[in-house]
Amino acid sequence: MKKILAVVLAVLMAACMFAGCTKKEETSAIKTVESGKLYMATNAAFPPYEMTKDDGSGYEGIDVEIATAIAGKLGLELVVDDMDFTSVVTSVQTGKDDIAMAGLTVNEERKKNIDFTTSYAKGVQVVIVTEDSDIASIDDLEGKIIGTQEGTTGYIYCSDDYGEENVVAYSNGAIAVQALLSGSVDCIVIDNEPAKSFVAANEGLKILETEYVTEDYAIGVSKDNPELYAAINSAIDELIADGTVKTIVDKYINAD
């Protein structure tokens, strides 16, 4: 009997060792910009998805926490690479960074340059106006000067709908808000969550009740790194399934 148990234990140990080796081989097959690290290209001026901490010690937000959880699943350390939003996709496409997370909307143009994972959040483009504005709905945007963040889908939509001559692109949302307050533009089109943060921080502004566009946010990965893409996509699927993503989102955005 003891001999049989010893044989069974030996088989189980061998199976566990094999499983461990297999897992290690799968992890080591993932190539990142720097061994042991996961570089995230972002624009940390898009609260509550990504922003600089109040004390300037680093970064926080929905995307940062989700990326940290993904890195943890892969046995990697997250490194946040802050840059202009217009450089985020290119940075991943050229191999400077591993993933793009910047409240990044999935669209056909970006799909030509990078691969997108499962969507982990919904983005809603809204309109910010001053409280005394004569703009009451989307129907009133015709002929108005619209402020947006450069390189965003908001800029693309507004340029297509109202003409490039009526759209002004700023390097980030905060600068666009200052332009609105100074009267340089008549309104701003931006994602709903950053819009709420900007309105809360600046007196005299409001968000129109009418939604402009609804979008999907996802993680961008280089088309030249299918192994990393598969690992990232699997990780985000698991984090959605086990409720981690919802917990993180609810931490920054009031749950329904």
Side-chain angles (χ1 to χ4, degrees):
M1 187 64 160
K2 288 182 179 178
K3 185 178 288 188
I4 292 173
L5 287 173
V7 171
V8 171
L9 286 171
V11 170
L12 288 173
M13 288 177 67
C16 289
M17 287 176 66
F18 177 77
C21 289
T22 301
K23 187 173 183 180
K24 188 174 182 181
E25 286 169 4
E26 288 175 352
T27 303
S28 64
I30 299 171
K31 304 299 182 186
T32 55
V33 171
E34 183 179 347
S35 179
K37 297 185 178 180
L38 183 70
Y39 277 76
M40 167 189 169
T42 195
N43 174 238
F46 196 65
Y49 287 93
E50 39 269 318
M51 56 272 194
T52 303
K53 292 180 179 179
D54 290 340
D55 62 6
S57 63
Y59 304 96
E60 61 185 353
I62 293 170
D63 286 349
V64 177
E65 290 204 22
I66 292 175
T68 300
I70 289 172
K73 275 188 171 292
L74 302 182
L76 302 171
E77 176 191 349
L78 181 69
V79 179
V80 177
D81 189 6
D82 186 23
M83 62 189 69
D84 288 341
F85 183 80
T86 51
S87 300
V88 168
V89 170
T90 303
S91 186
V92 170
Q93 185 183 6
T94 58
K96 180 177 180 289
D97 289 287
D98 298 305
I99 61 172
M101 289 187 77
L104 195 61
T105 301
V106 179
N107 66 22
E108 294 306 313
E109 188 60 33
R110 289 173 182 158
K111 281 182 179 179
K112 295 176 185 177
N113 300 311
I114 55 176
D115 288 330
F116 282 101
T117 63
T118 301
S119 173
Y120 62 89
K122 287 283 185 184
V124 179
Q125 295 285 323
V126 297
V127 182
I128 304 176
V129 296
T130 55
E131 290 181 345
D132 60 355
S133 174
D134 61 353
I135 300 174
S137 73
I138 300 298
D139 296 334
D140 299 326
L141 294 187
E142 195 68 47
K144 301 295 185 181
I145 302 301
I146 305 168
T148 64
Q149 184 176 349
E150 61 184 358
T152 62
T153 50
Y155 174 80
I156 296 169
Y157 298 143
C158 291
S159 296
D160 288 345
D161 291 345
Y162 304 106
E164 287 187 20
E165 68 278 8
N166 293 317
V167 183
V168 182
Y170 298 93
S171 59
N172 60 57
I175 296 175
V177 166
Q178 293 309 309
L180 175 60
L181 289 169
S182 69
S184 299
V185 296
D186 298 308
C187 63
I188 297 169
V189 171
I190 196 168
D191 179 271
N192 187 49
E193 296 308 324
K196 288 192 288 189
S197 296
F198 291 136
V199 168
N202 295 275
E203 255 186 76
L205 300 180
K206 66 180 181 179
I207 300 171
L208 297 185
E209 293 184 7
T210 311
E211 295 177 354
Y212 185 27
V213 180
T214 300
E215 311 168 306
D216 288 315
Y217 287 169
I219 304 166
V221 185
S222 170
K223 289 181 176 293
D224 296 327
N225 199 341
E227 294 82 11
L228 179 62
Y229 170 80
I232 297 293
N233 200 47
S234 177
I236 192 65
D237 283 345
E238 291 175 11
L239 292 169
I240 291 170
D242 69 15
T244 300
V245 168
K246 185 179 187 306
T247 298
I248 292 171
V249 171
D250 287 349
K251 174 182 173 181
Y252 289 92
I253 300 173
N254 291 332
D256 293 334

